[in-house]
Amino acid sequence: MRPLEEKTLKTERIFTGKVISLQVDDVELPNGNTSKREIVKHPGAVAVIPVTAENKIVMVEQYRKALERTIIEIPAGKLESGEKPVVCAGRELEEETGYECKQMEWLISFYTSPGFADEIIHVYKATGLTKKENPAVADEDEFVNLIEVTLEEAIQLIKEQKIYDAKTAYAVQYLQLQEVLGK
């Protein structure tokens, strides 16, 4: 097998924003030729599958400007510098839903779009939920509607393309598989 690694020859930072940065790398390909790679740098994120004692999934409806529409998602958010993913998961759960949990179980981590971005998302399942009397306040530019749905309702929301993002579709499929396996 031949090596597949691309050697970075030069990096040019194009944009640095609040959430992401964009760079263009000149790379040497495995065959010795050169090419350019446009790369989105992201600090990483968490997503939480909150499940109530009544076996409902707590989700948020949120407007997503990139899509020019609202979608229904599991709570999620960006890691702050130096923040541990499990801490971020608890913070995002509280800020977006007003819930805290007794148990936060790590399920999986995955890259969202490795063809052009380094964003990794860490997925947790939260159980033992209780509503906080004075929850942490959501970000000032974040507006969400809280909804609680059964697994069957979530599957229907996927069919209706109201749930339309990978992390939430993963969450629903994870819970569906757990139900099938009797866990």
Side-chain angles (χ1 to χ4, degrees):
M1 295 187 87
R2 67 182 196 185
L4 300 175
E5 186 175 335
E6 298 178 356
K7 181 180 175 190
T8 302
L9 304 172
K10 179 181 126 190
T11 297
E12 180 184 1
R13 186 155 319 261
I14 305 297
F15 170 81
T16 301
K18 180 179 163 186
V19 177
I20 62 159
S21 64
L22 173 64
Q23 68 188 47
V24 177
D25 286 0
D26 291 335
V27 298
E28 181 181 329
L29 302 172
N31 65 3
N33 293 337
T34 59
S35 189
K36 291 192 180 289
R37 299 290 186 241
E38 298 169 352
I39 302 170
V40 174
K41 303 295 277 182
H42 188 281
V46 300
V48 183
I49 308 170
V51 181
T52 68
E54 298 77 31
N55 222 24
K56 291 202 171 185
I57 311 159
V58 181
M59 295 189 176
V60 294
E61 179 183 28
Q62 187 170 10
Y63 186 81
R64 293 301 192 178
K65 182 63 179 164
L67 306 179
E68 295 288 353
R69 62 176 278 201
T70 61
I71 61 173
I72 296 170
E73 306 174 58
I74 56 174
K78 178 178 73 72
L79 285 163
E80 299 299 331
S81 180
E83 186 176 34
K84 292 185 184 306
V86 70
V87 172
C88 182
R91 177 177 54 78
E92 288 294 338
L93 175 66
E94 183 179 338
E95 287 177 2
E96 292 191 10
T97 70
Y99 281 104
E100 61 184 349
C101 68
K102 287 190 175 131
Q103 183 176 356
M104 187 73 73
E105 175 190 3
W106 175 82
L107 301 177
I108 192 168
S109 299
F110 59 86
Y111 290 100
T112 60
S113 299
F116 64 88
D118 70 350
E119 178 188 22
I120 188 167
I121 191 162
H122 308 279
V123 183
Y124 291 85
K125 180 179 178 185
T127 53
L129 302 180
T130 54
K131 206 65 154 145
K132 282 197 79 169
E133 194 158 319
N134 296 308
V137 180
D139 296 336
E140 64 183 30
D141 63 348
E142 187 172 46
F143 301 90
V144 300
N145 291 325
L146 190 63
I147 62 171
E148 295 182 9
V149 298
T150 64
L151 181 56
E152 295 73 26
E153 290 168 332
I155 293 166
Q156 184 59 38
L157 290 169
I158 290 173
K159 290 177 185 174
E160 295 170 6
Q161 296 181 343
K162 291 180 180 172
I163 290 177
Y164 212 46
D165 69 297
K167 71 183 180 310
T168 306
Y170 170 86
V172 172
Q173 289 180 335
Y174 171 83
L175 293 174
Q176 191 175 23
L177 182 60
Q178 294 301 299
E179 189 175 89
V180 168
L181 296 176
K183 293 184 176 185

